[in-house]
Amino acid sequence: MLFAYRSTGAGLSRVITENPSLAEPTLAFDLPADAVWVDLYRPLSGQVAAVGGFGIHVPTLSEMEEIEISSRLYHEDGADYLTVVLPGRDPDGHVIAGPVTFVLQPSRLITVRHHLPRAFETYPLRAGQGPAGCATPDRIFLGLMAEIVGSLADSLEEAGRVLDEAGRRVFSGHAANRPDLLQKTLEEVGLQGERLSRVRTATTTLDRALNHFAAARDGQGLKALVKAELRDLAALAVHADFLAARVGLAVDATLGMIHLAQNATVRIVSVVAVLFLPPTLVASAYGMNFATMPGLDRGWGYPAVLGLMLASALGTYLFFKWKHWL
């Protein structure tokens, strides 16, 4: 898909939403010359060719996934190429972390992505409301960066709420005898750990991209905006590390509760086995069928042996209670 936006000064106006059918991937069309932002989402060949008319190379997904800094941050043919890794959803709705490339020309910004970061859906609706505004491609880029930072902050807040609930559940004692609840808690905490790793990767790549942008645009009156966003990213990174430590604590606590529950189960089984050990010994002795066994030929012999078995089990139980093993 292709989205093209024109700046109105107070915001962005969408001028093109191009989504040719998969049966016609090479469908060609013209982009308006005054489009200040062109957003490519899983672009088809016709859309790539249309954007290529602006004199840039649209990177492929394999090129965007290169991990070398020289492949993610570079200047070519009068444009700056900045590739970051952002959390988002794939076409099937699964949460992933994928690359997004920003191509900055003097007259327009072009973004290339193959998944759906939430900021790309929310930013066009409030492009002119931030301190950067949306009058130029550079300011649209900074506004989009601010929207991404805000989206990452929301993700961290959600992770914090889930960890708070997991902590209350584990430490309240209600889940001690609920293995299913403990397993669910462990799964939820693990998912938050994955979320934090995606956020941490995003903050690292965004920091590099913004520093590269600041070096390329030095002296254009944007330094204060870039510094503010870098400070926000640094704060997010610290908060993400703090939450990652909480994830470790929550995992350890949940596993500890699971082990305690398992130990309690094993202890109960062991105690039950020991309670039946003395009666089993008595029954084994009287099952040997020696002719001289006491009480064997007496009418009271059978109930006496049953009473002895019961008394041995009761004595064992009382001994365990006295030792506080039950």
Side-chain angles (χ1 to χ4, degrees), residues 280-297:
T280 303
L281 178 61
V282 174
S284 299
Y286 274 87
M288 290 187 291
N289 296 321
F290 289 112
T292 59
M293 293 184 69
L296 192 62
D297 56 348

Side-chain angles (χ1 to χ4, degrees), residues 16-293:
I16 284 183
T17 302
E18 185 66 34
N19 185 22
S21 67
L22 295 178
E24 299 176 313
T26 60
L27 182 65
F29 55 93
D30 295 325
L31 284 171
D34 60 346
V36 70
W37 176 26
V38 179
D39 181 29
L40 292 171
Y41 168 58
R42 305 185 73 198
L44 301 176
S45 56
Q47 298 168 343
V48 171
V51 175
F54 291 139
I56 67 166
H57 166 66
V58 178
T60 64
L61 179 59
S62 60
E63 292 172 339
M64 295 164 62
E65 290 175 336
E66 293 290 337
I67 63 174
E68 294 87 355
I69 295 299
S70 59
S71 299
R72 291 189 170 183
L73 307 171
Y74 59 93
H75 183 84
E76 182 179 87
D77 296 332
D80 289 303
Y81 290 75
L82 314 173
T83 299
V84 300
V85 179
L86 301 178
R89 296 189 178 274
D90 65 8
D92 296 326
H94 302 129
V95 179
I96 62 171
V100 176
T101 296
F102 299 84
V103 185
L104 269 167
Q105 290 184 309
S107 58
R108 68 185 55 84
L109 166 68
I110 297 168
T111 54
V112 186
R113 55 194 174 93
H114 292 265
H115 67 308
L116 293 167
R118 187 164 63 92
F120 283 79
E121 300 174 354
T122 59
Y123 174 69
L125 303 176
R126 50 192 181 203
Q129 299 176 7
C134 58
T136 65
D138 289 346
R139 291 185 175 274
I140 292 175
F141 170 77
L142 290 177
L144 194 51
M145 288 290 106
E147 191 74 15
I148 292 170
V149 170
S151 177
L152 295 178
D154 292 341
S155 186
L156 291 182
E157 290 178 2
E158 177 62 25
R161 284 192 291 269
V162 174
L163 292 175
D164 288 341
E165 178 60 29
R168 284 193 294 269
R169 191 184 304 158
V170 171
F171 294 115
S172 64
H174 298 307
N177 298 320
R178 293 280 307 277
D180 57 331
L181 195 58
L182 290 173
Q183 179 179 349
K184 179 182 176 182
T185 301
L186 194 59
E187 292 172 354
E188 290 178 352
V189 172
L191 288 175
Q192 301 317 306
E194 290 295 317
R195 168 183 279 182
L196 293 176
S197 68
R198 289 190 291 267
V199 171
R200 197 64 181 88
T201 300
T203 58
T204 301
T205 57
L206 286 170
D207 182 86
R208 291 172 177 170
L210 281 172
N211 278 297
H212 182 91
F213 172 84
R217 299 297 194 277
D218 189 25
Q220 296 189 16
L222 303 174
K223 184 178 294 186
L225 294 173
V226 174
K227 283 186 175 180
E229 293 190 7
L230 287 174
R231 283 195 300 268
D232 291 341
L233 279 175
L236 284 183
V238 171
H239 191 49
D241 292 340
F242 166 70
L243 290 178
R246 289 190 59 192
V247 166
L249 172 63
V251 169
D252 291 342
T254 306
L255 289 176
M257 289 296 181
I258 292 174
H259 293 158
L260 287 175
Q262 291 175 340
N263 291 339
T265 302
V266 171
R267 183 178 61 181
I268 292 173
V269 172
S270 301
V271 168
V272 170
V274 172
L275 288 177
F276 280 99
L277 185 60
T280 303
L281 178 61
V282 174
S284 299
Y286 274 87
M288 290 187 291
N289 296 321
F290 289 112
T292 59
M293 293 184 69

